[in-house]
Amino acid sequence: MGNEYNAVAGDRLLKDVEQVADMPVALAEKTIDAIAHKRGDEFVKDILAHLPPVKIAAMLRQYDFSCPSIISWILTPTMIVNVLKIDPLFWKNIYDSNQSGNFYKIQNDALDLMTSILINGKSRDKQGAILKHISKDNLSLLYLFLPFIGWQIKKKQTLMIEDPDVELGTADHLYEMIQWAAPYVAQQIAEFTGSAPISLLNYITDLWLEAFEGFDTDPECKTLEMNMFLPVY
Amino acid sequence: MTTELIKKDSRLFLFQVLEYGFEQKRLDQAFLNQLKKQGAQMSFVFAKRYYNVIQEACLRQASHCVLGIINIGLIESSGHGLDNAIDQLLQKGYVSMFKQGWTRLLDLVQYAGNAQKYLQRTNFEWEKNFAESLSAEPGREWVGHDEYLIHMLLYCNQKRRNNGAN
């Protein structure tokens, strides 16, 4: 009887995954909410594991940290790392040099995403696990550094006491949370910001290009990109 | 009293050429499949450069822009003649037709940028702007070539005799 039940559940899962993957983002989230009410969080976790990370990132990007997406409670550390890896693909107009305001928006979005992920971790263990996974992966660690470009440690924050003056949703707040959950990651951030100053534009462009390295592996596309926009005379 | 109706084929020039080529048996299915593959790749690269590759609407818009630019390149390099266009396509392929069209667009960007300096647009914005105005959606009437000629007349009087005459 158990096997039969599992087979039915697997069928149901595949159907749900297909259904959710085809939907527009806002609707997909509502559907996942409904499924969670019906079948519980574990089932939703399975669905999310089968969804492409692009879809999950799109759902997370609809909100900010003050009102996070419902799926951010359920995400596992591996899923979060996958989401951070492909999140740079959502950025627009990297080649446009006239868009300096855009880069601050990108940085702000990254700060927002990191904050909402860590706030929803709730327990120190879970936050620690998330940060451990992030620090193991090179690309997502670079993503974690992005909010801290042009930021400096205040002396107060080297203490292990929560500071009531720190505003929620700022880089200070994020640093405090990281230091509480995983001090060695905070140490890495401190070393990163203490080293030579880096231009935000260059950092974002590098991160974007590296995200594409893993995303398109087609060599023909690369050669096309090299010579497609060159004029012929 | 006689009335004369002038019947004009308003479909995309590339599609006219392909159909004509099939009638003449100079093109085959493999050549058509090549268009599918290279068209998808070019749209992807275009979307990566000017929009982004995640949203479906952006990819679709990019594919329309690529199709429009290929049409411009084909018309300009073949002088709007069907036989000539088939020769060009067979010899050079789709990508270099796109490059022909893109070169025309870059000319346009240069002239327009010089003529309207007060707008303070970057080349990037002009390129995106023109690519969108020349974009072609299959199944709809395409006015891209007229747009191209109008922009040329507007921004560059020197080119007028060469391009406006055809």
Side-chain angles (χ1 to χ4, degrees), chain B residues 11 40 76 79 126 146:
Chain B
R11 285 174 305 156
E76 291 297 319
W126 278 115
D146 300 339

Side-chain angles (χ1 to χ4, degrees), chain A residues 54 89-90 92-93 95-96 98 208 212 216 218 220-221 224-225 227-233, chain B residues 37 41-42 44-46 48-50 52-54 95 98-100 102-103 106-107 122 124-125 128:
Chain A
V54 173
L89 304 187
F90 283 86
K92 283 182 189 173
N93 293 347
Y95 288 110
D96 193 353
N98 202 17
W208 187 75
F212 263 101
D216 58 8
D218 190 1
E220 282 181 34
C221 265
L224 253 186
E225 198 187 349
N227 66 15
M228 202 167 115
F229 297 105
L230 297 177
V232 273
Y233 291 110
Chain B
K37 194 184 163 200
Q41 285 172 346
M42 283 193 279
F44 183 81
V45 173
F46 194 91
K48 185 180 167 187
R49 189 175 162 107
Y50 290 99
N52 78 39
V53 294
I54 301 285
V95 176
F98 177 87
K99 285 173 80 172
Q100 292 280 351
W102 190 252
T103 314
L106 286 183
D107 286 346
T122 55
F124 182 91
E125 283 168 324
K128 195 171 158 186

Side-chain angles (χ1 to χ4, degrees), chain B residues 152-153 156-165:
Chain B
M152 270 297 181
L153 284 172
C156 172
N157 286 320
Q158 290 298 314
K159 285 261 169 176
R160 184 176 179 173
R161 283 175 217 103
N162 304 334
N163 287 309

Side-chain angles (χ1 to χ4, degrees), chain A residues 35-66:
Chain A
I35 293 171
H37 275 299
K38 224 173 170 184
R39 292 169 187 276
D41 285 356
E42 285 302 314
F43 193 76
V44 172
K45 206 181 258 182
D46 281 351
I47 289 181
L48 289 177
H50 286 83
L51 274 183
V54 173
K55 200 83 187 177
I56 299 175
M59 284 186 218
L60 289 178
R61 284 180 77 89
Q62 289 187 85
Y63 302 93
D64 62 0
F65 78 97
S66 60

